[in-house]
Amino acid sequence: LLQVRNVDFVKYGRPAFIISWIVVAIGAVVVVSKGEKIYGIDFAGGDAITVAYKQKPDLGVVRSVADSLKLTDVTPTFASATNGEVLKIETPPGKSAALFKALQAKLPNAGLEKVGEESIGPAIGQEIKWNATKSLLASFVIILIYVAFRFEFGFGIGAVVASVHDIIMTIGIFVLFGHQFNAPMVAAILSIAGYSINDTIVVFDRIREELRLNPTM
């Protein structure tokens, strides 16, 4: 597909560096400006309503109604109950009533009836968030020591900076597009951190190999 297969990627290193860190900076500003609003139900808590129905509603319709109300982090699921299957919907705090009324208007023939409502606390508390932060910082220190031992200290700093860059960029872009930070996002961040350090180690190993072949390179 490409006529020129030998691309000088190093040539574009500086502009790529500048652009990527501009994106990181924009994402960081958005995260700071939104403050607590970036947290979803897993971090901030919310409401959960149980809805009985005569005609089974489509979950896609429920999500579209939530989007029309500009509600984020709404989770609709079907669950078994004593009298059959019911629809459970988790919403941000204080938003369940508005969503239920909108669903009744959107699905007048579904026979929607609210049979339960409860307030749910955050699944991820302050202690867990602090422990996660400490674990992440500890992992960066271990990465720095490991890479410094296997390669050299400068490489270790580069590995940590690269991982921090990838994590902050991901969070920033995610929040920039209106999404909220929840438990699945934490899992995604951990996956990205793993792939990031793995990719960095592979690149460093290649650099070390090239330096052995050409020390003055």
Side-chain angles (χ1 to χ4, degrees), residues 92-108:
K95 302 297 183 181
S96 59
L99 178 59
F100 180 68
K101 290 180 180 179
L103 287 173
Q104 283 184 314
K106 180 71 174 179
L107 304 169

Side-chain angles (χ1 to χ4, degrees), residues 76-170:
T77 56
F78 291 109
S80 299
T82 306
N83 299 325
E85 196 175 52
V86 294
L87 173 64
K88 288 195 171 184
I89 308 175
E90 294 181 358
T91 70
K95 302 297 183 181
S96 59
L99 178 59
F100 180 68
K101 290 180 180 179
L103 287 173
Q104 283 184 314
K106 180 71 174 179
L107 304 169
N109 299 324
L112 301 180
E113 179 185 359
K114 188 191 296 184
V115 295
E117 183 174 5
E118 61 180 333
S119 178
I120 55 178
I124 302 176
Q126 291 295 331
E127 183 179 356
I128 297 178
K129 284 191 280 188
W130 174 235
N131 287 338
T133 302
K134 288 192 295 184
S135 299
L136 196 59
L137 293 175
S139 69
F140 285 147
V141 172
I142 294 171
I143 289 170
L144 176 63
I145 295 172
Y146 171 77
V147 176
F149 176 75
R150 289 295 304 272
F151 298 92
E152 58 183 70
F153 186 74
F155 279 34
I157 299 242
V160 171
V161 171
S163 297
V164 171
H165 165 277
D166 294 344
I167 291 172
I168 295 178
M169 174 181 280
T170 303

Side-chain angles (χ1 to χ4, degrees), residues 2 4 7 37 40 50 53 59 68 72 91-92 96 121 124 133 143 148 156 171 183 189 202 210:
L2 298 176
V4 180
V7 180
K37 294 180 181 179
T50 303
Y53 50 82
L59 294 183
S68 68
T72 57
T91 70
S96 59
I124 302 176
T133 302
I143 289 170
I171 295 174
I189 289 298
V202 170
E210 290 290 340

Side-chain angles (χ1 to χ4, degrees), residues 20-40:
S20 68
W21 279 101
I22 288 175
V23 174
V24 168
I26 293 173
V29 169
V30 172
V31 169
V32 172
S33 63
K34 288 192 174 184
E36 295 293 323
K37 294 180 181 179
I38 69 171
Y39 293 120

